[in-house]
């Protein structure tokens, strides 16, 4: 296999822009990252957090404003994109509409001066890997969105790149296809044994596909960890909110309790997990609506609530409730009526306690 590597290293990578008003924008502020061969890394964060900028800097489509990028011992941020030789897949496929599928896939090899027969052979192998055999002669417009994205992936991998960079590749597909393609991209990644860097704003996509997730916000990395860690132990409230901890409420710290900490607000006492060291008794408790369940009054970590709004969802309902410690969302099995009084419970391991007031 060509171009194999052990590690891609980003050190203090910065990228600044000047916006339309002439103000400086730090799109990427000191990004440090090590990616090993075989890893699938997701860059995750809300729109504008710098994900695409990071990917473009790695690809060489944008120059760095500071820092450096190394592929093993070789510094690569000084090289033009074609010398880095990474495969890229974009949201909009970027296929040549008047070229056949086979020619689209072989294009990169042709540009590199690979002989015609060898190009066709390798393009066919790539199409086999993305399971598009039989479609070689078609034009991109004759394929479905999912098939076009497979062509784009085949075109990216045919040059046998050490690294495959994908920028929201599934955003244009419908939900069902998107979920199928997640597994498909993961399969292709495993089969190739290269590294993939995948940009997405979709938590589920990142959680289901990546070995490690890089959570970004306003150009700054918030957390680099496995999906399980990012989901179960978000590093701070920004990551927690982004991972679906929609309820963030102020509590007072009472002290430790077993392996957890006890918190109190307006007569409601909960036991939760300490996510920080604490600088004062003011804490913020983060809860996912999905982690709530109905309970008998007086159960551990239970509280009384009154339903204010109901969104029926089939298997469960998303309800807004008023409790002694504030209003919150809960997604719970069963049907509810507005005004109904219920008791909810949240497990201590799913009650995350952060230092300081909710932000
Ligand atoms: P999205 O998911 O919306 O593409 P993103 O996380 O990929 O968002 P970037 O596209 O990397 O974010 O943008 C990061 C920041 O840099 C944003 O504030 C954006 O407005 C700014 N930015 C990006 N490209 C330029 C540019 N060419 N000129 C000026 N500002 C830019």
């Amino acid at each position: 296999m060509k171009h194999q590597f052990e590690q891609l290293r980003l050190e203090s990578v910065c990228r600044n822009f000047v916006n339309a008003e002439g103000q400086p924008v730090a799109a990427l502020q000191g990004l440090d990252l090590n990616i090993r061969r075989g890893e699938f890394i997701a860059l995750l964060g809300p729109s504008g957090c710098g994900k695409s900028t990071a990917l473009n800097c790695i690809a060489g489509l944008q120059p760095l404003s500071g820092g450096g990028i190394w592929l093993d011992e070789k510094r690569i941020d000084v090289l033009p994109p074609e010398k880095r030789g990474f495969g890229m897949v974009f949201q909009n496929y970027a296929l040549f509409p008047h070229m056949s599928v086979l020619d689209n896939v072989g294009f990169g090899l042709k540009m590199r001066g690979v002989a015609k027969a060898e190009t066709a052979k390798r393009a066919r192998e790539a199409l086999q890997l993305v399971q598009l055999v039989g479609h070689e002669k078609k034009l991109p417009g004759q394929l479905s969105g999912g098939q076009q994205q497979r062509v784009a992936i085949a075109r990216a991998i045919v040059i046998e790149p050490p690294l495959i960079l994908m920028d929201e590749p599934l955003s244009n597909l419908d939900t069902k296809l998107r979920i199928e393609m997640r597994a498909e991209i993961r399969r292709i990644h495993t089969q190739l044994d290269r590294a993939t860097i995948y940009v997405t704003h979709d938590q589920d996509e990142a959680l289901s596909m990546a070995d490690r997730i890089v959570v970004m916000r306003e150009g700054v990395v918030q957390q680099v960890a496995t999906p399980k860690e990012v989901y179960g132990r978000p590093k701070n409230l920004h990551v927690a909110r982004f991972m679906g901890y929609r309820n963030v409420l102020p509590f007072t710290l009472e002290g430790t309790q077993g392996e957890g900490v006890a918190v109190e607000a307006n007569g409601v006492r909960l036991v939760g997990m300490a996510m920080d060291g604490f600088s004062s008794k003011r804490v913020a408790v983060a809860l996912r609506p999905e982690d709530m369940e109905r309970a008998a009054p007086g159960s551990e970590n239970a509280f009384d609530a009154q339903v204010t709004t109901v969104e029926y969802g089939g298997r469960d309902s998303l309800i807004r409730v008023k409790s002694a410690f504030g209003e919150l969302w809960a997604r719970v099995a069963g049907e509810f009526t507005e005004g109904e009084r219920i008791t909810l419970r949240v497990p201590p391991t799913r009650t995350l306690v952060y230092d300081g007031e909710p932000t």
Side-chain angles (χ1 to χ4, degrees):
M1 283 218 178
K2 275 194 194 168
H3 303 307
Q4 271 307 20
F5 76 109
E6 291 308 317
Q7 184 178 260
L8 177 84
R9 198 169 85 248
L10 278 72
E11 261 184 39
S12 310
V13 170
C14 296
R15 171 70 179 147
N16 304 325
F17 290 109
V18 176
N19 68 13
E21 290 80 45
Q23 304 296 321
V25 179
L28 220 49
Q29 302 182 45
L31 175 60
D32 292 320
L33 196 59
N34 281 328
I35 298 162
R36 294 178 290 275
R37 176 155 60 95
E39 264 195 309
F40 195 116
I41 300 283
L43 301 184
L44 175 69
S47 180
C49 71
K51 311 177 293 286
S52 299
T53 302
L55 205 72
N56 290 337
C57 285
I58 296 169
L61 301 176
Q62 286 183 19
L64 310 191
S65 308
I69 307 177
W70 284 262
L71 197 60
D72 292 331
E73 297 314 312
K74 188 173 176 189
R75 184 160 185 174
I76 61 156
D77 58 277
V78 291
L79 301 176
E82 64 279 7
K83 286 266 164 57
R84 302 185 196 189
F86 299 154
M88 288 213 69
V89 180
F90 301 96
Q91 181 177 340
N92 60 4
Y93 322 139
L95 300 173
F96 300 113
H98 305 297
M99 258 186 214
S100 72
V101 164
L102 192 71
D103 289 346
N104 261 287
V105 175
F107 185 76
L109 295 175
K110 191 174 163 196
M111 295 311 285
R112 283 170 171 75
V114 176
K116 215 170 166 185
E118 173 72 9
T119 295
K121 177 175 162 277
R122 283 168 61 183
R124 283 206 168 82
E125 283 167 4
L127 283 170
Q128 201 163 6
L129 190 66
V130 300
Q131 296 179 340
L132 272 186
V133 173
H135 298 279
E136 293 83 353
K137 294 198 174 123
K138 290 185 184 164
L139 295 175
Q142 295 172 298
L143 301 178
S144 70
Q147 289 172 326
Q148 290 188 48
Q149 198 53 294
R150 283 169 199 259
V151 176
I153 294 169
R155 189 183 53 181
I157 62 183
V158 78
I159 58 168
E160 300 187 15
L163 197 63
I164 297 157
L165 307 173
M166 299 195 181
D167 195 349
E168 307 252 7
L170 305 183
S171 299
N172 285 350
L173 306 179
D174 63 46
T175 313
K176 185 169 169 283
L177 198 53
R178 223 161 41 215
I179 290 169
E180 280 170 24
M181 283 296 286
R182 284 182 196 167
E184 190 58 15
I185 289 178
R186 191 60 226 202
R187 176 187 67 77
I188 293 165
H189 163 84
T190 307
Q191 216 160 324
L192 286 172
D193 189 30
R194 305 296 165 98
T196 302
I197 305 181
Y198 187 101
V199 163
T200 181
H201 64 269
D202 182 329
Q203 304 90 302
D204 290 340
E205 220 166 88
L207 287 171
S208 65
M209 297 174 84
D211 297 313
R212 284 192 299 155
I213 300 177
V214 179
V215 186
M216 298 178 64
R217 176 178 179 262
E218 293 176 3
V220 180
V221 171
Q222 307 287 310
Q223 185 168 13
V224 183
T226 61
K228 209 171 152 187
E229 183 86 8
V230 170
Y231 180 84
R233 300 189 62 86
K235 184 86 177 287
N236 57 39
L237 282 176
H238 299 304
V239 180
R241 280 187 202 280
F242 195 67
M243 296 311 296
Y245 293 78
R246 271 174 90 176
N247 306 302
V248 180
L249 297 143
F251 272 75
T252 304
L253 185 68
E254 286 196 328
T256 55
Q257 176 150 337
E259 289 184 5
V261 284
V263 295
E264 189 273 339
N266 238 351
V268 176
R269 193 163 181 275
L270 298 178
V271 174
M273 311 300 290
M275 294 289 120
D276 283 321
F278 296 106
S279 59
S280 79
K281 292 210 170 299
R282 290 178 175 188
V283 294
V285 168
L287 306 168
R288 283 174 60 91
E290 295 76 7
D291 291 331
M292 313 267 185
E293 58 199 21
R294 288 195 80 162
S299 314
E300 189 205 21
N301 262 31
F303 55 90
D304 295 327
Q306 184 171 23
V307 178
T308 56
T309 57
V310 180
E311 224 176 85
Y312 176 67
R315 267 167 46 132
D316 52 27
S317 302
L318 179 66
I319 55 175
R320 180 119 177 115
V321 300
K322 214 184 262 181
S323 75
F325 56 92
E327 288 197 37
L328 62 162
W329 294 99
R331 187 177 287 286
V332 210
E335 290 181 28
F336 298 86
T337 49
E338 283 172 19
E340 190 179 345
R341 289 181 186 278
I342 57 172
T343 302
L344 291 173
R345 171 183 186 273
V346 56
T349 51
R350 309 299 303 134
T351 303
L352 311 187
V353 185
Y354 291 90
D355 189 34
E357 303 264 352
T359 46

